[in-house]
mmCIF file with all atom_site columns, all heavy atoms in Angstrom:
data_model
loop_
_atom_site.group_PDB
_atom_site.id
_atom_site.type_symbol
_atom_site.label_atom_id
_atom_site.label_alt_id
_atom_site.label_comp_id
_atom_site.label_asym_id
_atom_site.label_entity_id
_atom_site.label_seq_id
_atom_site.pdbx_PDB_ins_code
_atom_site.Cartn_x
_atom_site.Cartn_y
_atom_site.Cartn_z
_atom_site.occupancy
_atom_site.B_iso_or_equiv
_atom_site.pdbx_formal_charge
_atom_site.auth_seq_id
_atom_site.auth_comp_id
_atom_site.auth_asym_id
_atom_site.auth_atom_id
_atom_site.pdbx_PDB_model_num
ATOM 1   N N   . ALA X 1 58  ? -293.918 -77.999  -163.504 1.00 0.00 ? 72  ALA X N   1
ATOM 2   C CA  . ALA X 1 58  ? -293.346 -77.808  -164.836 1.00 0.00 ? 72  ALA X CA  1
ATOM 3   C C   . ALA X 1 58  ? -292.160 -78.745  -165.051 1.00 0.00 ? 72  ALA X C   1
ATOM 4   O O   . ALA X 1 58  ? -292.004 -79.349  -166.120 1.00 0.00 ? 72  ALA X O   1
ATOM 5   C CB  . ALA X 1 58  ? -292.914 -76.358  -165.018 1.00 0.00 ? 72  ALA X CB  1
ATOM 6   N N   . LYS X 1 88  ? -297.721 -99.273  -163.868 1.00 0.00 ? 102 LYS X N   1
ATOM 7   C CA  . LYS X 1 88  ? -297.531 -97.817  -163.806 1.00 0.00 ? 102 LYS X CA  1
ATOM 8   C C   . LYS X 1 88  ? -296.052 -97.610  -164.090 1.00 0.00 ? 102 LYS X C   1
ATOM 9   O O   . LYS X 1 88  ? -295.189 -98.021  -163.301 1.00 0.00 ? 102 LYS X O   1
ATOM 10  C CB  . LYS X 1 88  ? -297.938 -97.293  -162.424 1.00 0.00 ? 102 LYS X CB  1
ATOM 11  C CG  . LYS X 1 88  ? -297.712 -95.794  -162.223 1.00 0.00 ? 102 LYS X CG  1
ATOM 12  C CD  . LYS X 1 88  ? -298.587 -94.935  -163.107 1.00 0.00 ? 102 LYS X CD  1
ATOM 13  C CE  . LYS X 1 88  ? -298.426 -93.461  -162.730 1.00 0.00 ? 102 LYS X CE  1
ATOM 14  N NZ  . LYS X 1 88  ? -298.771 -92.570  -163.861 1.00 0.00 ? 102 LYS X NZ  1
ATOM 15  N N   . LEU X 1 92  ? -290.000 -95.306  -166.963 1.00 0.00 ? 106 LEU X N   1
ATOM 16  C CA  . LEU X 1 92  ? -289.796 -94.463  -168.146 1.00 0.00 ? 106 LEU X CA  1
ATOM 17  C C   . LEU X 1 92  ? -289.409 -93.020  -167.782 1.00 0.00 ? 106 LEU X C   1
ATOM 18  O O   . LEU X 1 92  ? -289.081 -92.227  -168.663 1.00 0.00 ? 106 LEU X O   1
ATOM 19  C CB  . LEU X 1 92  ? -291.058 -94.455  -169.003 1.00 0.00 ? 106 LEU X CB  1
ATOM 20  C CG  . LEU X 1 92  ? -291.352 -95.770  -169.726 1.00 0.00 ? 106 LEU X CG  1
ATOM 21  C CD1 . LEU X 1 92  ? -292.657 -95.675  -170.491 1.00 0.00 ? 106 LEU X CD1 1
ATOM 22  C CD2 . LEU X 1 92  ? -290.209 -96.140  -170.664 1.00 0.00 ? 106 LEU X CD2 1
ATOM 23  N N   . GLY X 1 105 ? -288.417 -82.262  -156.071 1.00 0.00 ? 119 GLY X N   1
ATOM 24  C CA  . GLY X 1 105 ? -289.071 -81.553  -154.971 1.00 0.00 ? 119 GLY X CA  1
ATOM 25  C C   . GLY X 1 105 ? -288.069 -81.033  -153.960 1.00 0.00 ? 119 GLY X C   1
ATOM 26  O O   . GLY X 1 105 ? -288.139 -79.875  -153.523 1.00 0.00 ? 119 GLY X O   1
ATOM 27  N N   . THR X 1 131 ? -280.192 -87.805  -157.836 1.00 0.00 ? 145 THR X N   1
ATOM 28  C CA  . THR X 1 131 ? -279.674 -86.648  -157.101 1.00 0.00 ? 145 THR X CA  1
ATOM 29  C C   . THR X 1 131 ? -278.583 -85.937  -157.908 1.00 0.00 ? 145 THR X C   1
ATOM 30  O O   . THR X 1 131 ? -278.593 -84.708  -158.031 1.00 0.00 ? 145 THR X O   1
ATOM 31  C CB  . THR X 1 131 ? -279.109 -87.089  -155.733 1.00 0.00 ? 145 THR X CB  1
ATOM 32  O OG1 . THR X 1 131 ? -280.129 -87.766  -155.011 1.00 0.00 ? 145 THR X OG1 1
ATOM 33  C CG2 . THR X 1 131 ? -278.649 -85.889  -154.924 1.00 0.00 ? 145 THR X CG2 1
ATOM 34  N N   . GLU X 1 152 ? -269.665 -101.892 -156.262 1.00 0.00 ? 166 GLU X N   1
ATOM 35  C CA  . GLU X 1 152 ? -269.251 -102.994 -157.112 1.00 0.00 ? 166 GLU X CA  1
ATOM 36  C C   . GLU X 1 152 ? -270.401 -103.549 -157.950 1.00 0.00 ? 166 GLU X C   1
ATOM 37  O O   . GLU X 1 152 ? -270.271 -103.733 -159.154 1.00 0.00 ? 166 GLU X O   1
ATOM 38  C CB  . GLU X 1 152 ? -268.680 -104.097 -156.231 1.00 0.00 ? 166 GLU X CB  1
ATOM 39  C CG  . GLU X 1 152 ? -267.840 -105.081 -156.988 1.00 0.00 ? 166 GLU X CG  1
ATOM 40  C CD  . GLU X 1 152 ? -266.694 -105.549 -156.113 1.00 0.00 ? 166 GLU X CD  1
ATOM 41  O OE1 . GLU X 1 152 ? -265.933 -104.705 -155.596 1.00 0.00 ? 166 GLU X OE1 1
ATOM 42  O OE2 . GLU X 1 152 ? -266.597 -106.762 -155.940 1.00 0.00 ? 166 GLU X OE2 1
ATOM 43  N N   . LEU X 1 163 ? -270.223 -89.040  -164.274 1.00 0.00 ? 177 LEU X N   1
ATOM 44  C CA  . LEU X 1 163 ? -270.421 -88.242  -165.486 1.00 0.00 ? 177 LEU X CA  1
ATOM 45  C C   . LEU X 1 163 ? -271.255 -87.002  -165.201 1.00 0.00 ? 177 LEU X C   1
ATOM 46  O O   . LEU X 1 163 ? -271.044 -85.942  -165.784 1.00 0.00 ? 177 LEU X O   1
ATOM 47  C CB  . LEU X 1 163 ? -271.125 -89.088  -166.562 1.00 0.00 ? 177 LEU X CB  1
ATOM 48  C CG  . LEU X 1 163 ? -270.268 -90.088  -167.319 1.00 0.00 ? 177 LEU X CG  1
ATOM 49  C CD1 . LEU X 1 163 ? -271.151 -90.920  -168.248 1.00 0.00 ? 177 LEU X CD1 1
ATOM 50  C CD2 . LEU X 1 163 ? -269.188 -89.376  -168.130 1.00 0.00 ? 177 LEU X CD2 1
ATOM 51  N N   . ASN X 1 192 ? -271.062 -80.751  -141.717 1.00 0.00 ? 206 ASN X N   1
ATOM 52  C CA  . ASN X 1 192 ? -271.176 -79.601  -142.626 1.00 0.00 ? 206 ASN X CA  1
ATOM 53  C C   . ASN X 1 192 ? -272.561 -78.964  -142.543 1.00 0.00 ? 206 ASN X C   1
ATOM 54  O O   . ASN X 1 192 ? -273.276 -78.851  -143.534 1.00 0.00 ? 206 ASN X O   1
ATOM 55  C CB  . ASN X 1 192 ? -270.882 -80.055  -144.062 1.00 0.00 ? 206 ASN X CB  1
ATOM 56  C CG  . ASN X 1 192 ? -269.489 -80.639  -144.180 1.00 0.00 ? 206 ASN X CG  1
ATOM 57  O OD1 . ASN X 1 192 ? -268.503 -79.932  -144.027 1.00 0.00 ? 206 ASN X OD1 1
ATOM 58  N ND2 . ASN X 1 192 ? -269.411 -81.931  -144.432 1.00 0.00 ? 206 ASN X ND2 1
ATOM 59  N N   . GLN X 1 227 ? -305.817 -92.034  -164.372 1.00 0.00 ? 241 GLN X N   1
ATOM 60  C CA  . GLN X 1 227 ? -305.612 -92.864  -165.567 1.00 0.00 ? 241 GLN X CA  1
ATOM 61  C C   . GLN X 1 227 ? -306.468 -94.116  -165.512 1.00 0.00 ? 241 GLN X C   1
ATOM 62  O O   . GLN X 1 227 ? -307.061 -94.534  -166.511 1.00 0.00 ? 241 GLN X O   1
ATOM 63  C CB  . GLN X 1 227 ? -304.131 -93.264  -165.673 1.00 0.00 ? 241 GLN X CB  1
ATOM 64  C CG  . GLN X 1 227 ? -303.208 -92.102  -165.991 1.00 0.00 ? 241 GLN X CG  1
ATOM 65  C CD  . GLN X 1 227 ? -301.730 -92.473  -165.788 1.00 0.00 ? 241 GLN X CD  1
ATOM 66  O OE1 . GLN X 1 227 ? -301.396 -93.226  -164.869 1.00 0.00 ? 241 GLN X OE1 1
ATOM 67  N NE2 . GLN X 1 227 ? -300.859 -91.936  -166.627 1.00 0.00 ? 241 GLN X NE2 1
ATOM 68  N N   . GLY X 1 279 ? -280.268 -113.346 -143.648 1.00 0.00 ? 293 GLY X N   1
ATOM 69  C CA  . GLY X 1 279 ? -280.198 -113.664 -145.070 1.00 0.00 ? 293 GLY X CA  1
ATOM 70  C C   . GLY X 1 279 ? -281.281 -112.986 -145.891 1.00 0.00 ? 293 GLY X C   1
ATOM 71  O O   . GLY X 1 279 ? -281.543 -113.375 -147.024 1.00 0.00 ? 293 GLY X O   1
ATOM 72  N N   . HIS X 1 311 ? -279.761 -108.964 -146.267 1.00 0.00 ? 325 HIS X N   1
ATOM 73  C CA  . HIS X 1 311 ? -279.269 -109.329 -147.597 1.00 0.00 ? 325 HIS X CA  1
ATOM 74  C C   . HIS X 1 311 ? -280.398 -109.284 -148.607 1.00 0.00 ? 325 HIS X C   1
ATOM 75  O O   . HIS X 1 311 ? -281.505 -109.728 -148.340 1.00 0.00 ? 325 HIS X O   1
ATOM 76  C CB  . HIS X 1 311 ? -278.685 -110.747 -147.618 1.00 0.00 ? 325 HIS X CB  1
ATOM 77  C CG  . HIS X 1 311 ? -278.689 -111.318 -149.005 1.00 0.00 ? 325 HIS X CG  1
ATOM 78  N ND1 . HIS X 1 311 ? -277.713 -111.008 -149.923 1.00 0.00 ? 325 HIS X ND1 1
ATOM 79  C CD2 . HIS X 1 311 ? -279.602 -112.090 -149.657 1.00 0.00 ? 325 HIS X CD2 1
ATOM 80  C CE1 . HIS X 1 311 ? -278.006 -111.600 -151.083 1.00 0.00 ? 325 HIS X CE1 1
ATOM 81  N NE2 . HIS X 1 311 ? -279.149 -112.268 -150.951 1.00 0.00 ? 325 HIS X NE2 1
ATOM 82  N N   . SER X 1 312 ? -280.097 -108.750 -149.776 1.00 0.00 ? 326 SER X N   1
ATOM 83  C CA  . SER X 1 312 ? -280.985 -108.897 -150.923 1.00 0.00 ? 326 SER X CA  1
ATOM 84  C C   . SER X 1 312 ? -280.154 -108.860 -152.190 1.00 0.00 ? 326 SER X C   1
ATOM 85  O O   . SER X 1 312 ? -279.128 -108.184 -152.239 1.00 0.00 ? 326 SER X O   1
ATOM 86  C CB  . SER X 1 312 ? -282.022 -107.776 -150.959 1.00 0.00 ? 326 SER X CB  1
ATOM 87  O OG  . SER X 1 312 ? -282.720 -107.820 -152.194 1.00 0.00 ? 326 SER X OG  1
ATOM 88  N N   . PRO X 1 320 ? -281.910 -102.568 -143.654 1.00 0.00 ? 334 PRO X N   1
ATOM 89  C CA  . PRO X 1 320 ? -282.533 -103.270 -142.528 1.00 0.00 ? 334 PRO X CA  1
ATOM 90  C C   . PRO X 1 320 ? -283.735 -102.550 -141.912 1.00 0.00 ? 334 PRO X C   1
ATOM 91  O O   . PRO X 1 320 ? -284.299 -103.026 -140.936 1.00 0.00 ? 334 PRO X O   1
ATOM 92  C CB  . PRO X 1 320 ? -281.394 -103.372 -141.508 1.00 0.00 ? 334 PRO X CB  1
ATOM 93  C CG  . PRO X 1 320 ? -280.500 -102.225 -141.830 1.00 0.00 ? 334 PRO X CG  1
ATOM 94  C CD  . PRO X 1 320 ? -280.607 -101.998 -143.313 1.00 0.00 ? 334 PRO X CD  1
ATOM 95  N N   . SER X 1 327 ? -294.549 -99.121  -141.447 1.00 0.00 ? 341 SER X N   1
ATOM 96  C CA  . SER X 1 327 ? -294.690 -99.850  -140.177 1.00 0.00 ? 341 SER X CA  1
ATOM 97  C C   . SER X 1 327 ? -296.087 -99.634  -139.603 1.00 0.00 ? 341 SER X C   1
ATOM 98  O O   . SER X 1 327 ? -296.730 -100.560 -139.108 1.00 0.00 ? 341 SER X O   1
ATOM 99  C CB  . SER X 1 327 ? -293.637 -99.361  -139.174 1.00 0.00 ? 341 SER X CB  1
ATOM 100 O OG  . SER X 1 327 ? -292.348 -99.707  -139.626 1.00 0.00 ? 341 SER X OG  1
ATOM 101 N N   . CYS X 1 352 ? -290.880 -110.983 -167.300 1.00 0.00 ? 366 CYS X N   1
ATOM 102 C CA  . CYS X 1 352 ? -291.304 -109.654 -167.752 1.00 0.00 ? 366 CYS X CA  1
ATOM 103 C C   . CYS X 1 352 ? -290.533 -109.252 -169.010 1.00 0.00 ? 366 CYS X C   1
ATOM 104 O O   . CYS X 1 352 ? -291.088 -108.721 -169.972 1.00 0.00 ? 366 CYS X O   1
ATOM 105 C CB  . CYS X 1 352 ? -291.087 -108.640 -166.643 1.00 0.00 ? 366 CYS X CB  1
ATOM 106 S SG  . CYS X 1 352 ? -291.655 -106.988 -167.046 1.00 0.00 ? 366 CYS X SG  1
ATOM 107 N N   . LYS X 1 354 ? -289.095 -111.171 -171.229 1.00 0.00 ? 368 LYS X N   1
ATOM 108 C CA  . LYS X 1 354 ? -289.451 -111.976 -172.401 1.00 0.00 ? 368 LYS X CA  1
ATOM 109 C C   . LYS X 1 354 ? -290.866 -111.698 -172.906 1.00 0.00 ? 368 LYS X C   1
ATOM 110 O O   . LYS X 1 354 ? -291.096 -111.635 -174.109 1.00 0.00 ? 368 LYS X O   1
ATOM 111 C CB  . LYS X 1 354 ? -289.316 -113.470 -172.060 1.00 0.00 ? 368 LYS X CB  1
ATOM 112 C CG  . LYS X 1 354 ? -287.861 -113.898 -172.117 1.00 0.00 ? 368 LYS X CG  1
ATOM 113 C CD  . LYS X 1 354 ? -287.695 -115.393 -172.032 1.00 0.00 ? 368 LYS X CD  1
ATOM 114 C CE  . LYS X 1 354 ? -286.205 -115.729 -171.995 1.00 0.00 ? 368 LYS X CE  1
ATOM 115 N NZ  . LYS X 1 354 ? -285.904 -116.751 -170.984 1.00 0.00 ? 368 LYS X NZ  1
ATOM 116 N N   . VAL X 1 399 ? -277.729 -109.923 -162.897 1.00 0.00 ? 413 VAL X N   1
ATOM 117 C CA  . VAL X 1 399 ? -278.589 -111.029 -163.330 1.00 0.00 ? 413 VAL X CA  1
ATOM 118 C C   . VAL X 1 399 ? -277.768 -112.044 -164.117 1.00 0.00 ? 413 VAL X C   1
ATOM 119 O O   . VAL X 1 399 ? -277.883 -113.251 -163.898 1.00 0.00 ? 413 VAL X O   1
ATOM 120 C CB  . VAL X 1 399 ? -279.773 -110.495 -164.163 1.00 0.00 ? 413 VAL X CB  1
ATOM 121 C CG1 . VAL X 1 399 ? -280.545 -111.653 -164.801 1.00 0.00 ? 413 VAL X CG1 1
ATOM 122 C CG2 . VAL X 1 399 ? -280.703 -109.662 -163.294 1.00 0.00 ? 413 VAL X CG2 1
ATOM 123 N N   . VAL X 1 405 ? -273.894 -116.395 -166.649 1.00 0.00 ? 419 VAL X N   1
ATOM 124 C CA  . VAL X 1 405 ? -273.437 -115.845 -167.924 1.00 0.00 ? 419 VAL X CA  1
ATOM 125 C C   . VAL X 1 405 ? -272.353 -114.806 -167.661 1.00 0.00 ? 419 VAL X C   1
ATOM 126 O O   . VAL X 1 405 ? -272.555 -113.879 -166.879 1.00 0.00 ? 419 VAL X O   1
ATOM 127 C CB  . VAL X 1 405 ? -274.598 -115.162 -168.691 1.00 0.00 ? 419 VAL X CB  1
ATOM 128 C CG1 . VAL X 1 405 ? -274.094 -114.609 -170.025 1.00 0.00 ? 419 VAL X CG1 1
ATOM 129 C CG2 . VAL X 1 405 ? -275.746 -116.134 -168.890 1.00 0.00 ? 419 VAL X CG2 1
#
Side-chain angles (χ1 to χ4, degrees):
Chain X
K102 177 66 173 156
L106 289 177
T145 303
E166 198 145 305
L177 282 175
N206 300 293
Q241 291 168 324
H325 157 81
S326 170
S341 294
C366 183
K368 281 190 184 136
V413 171
V419 181

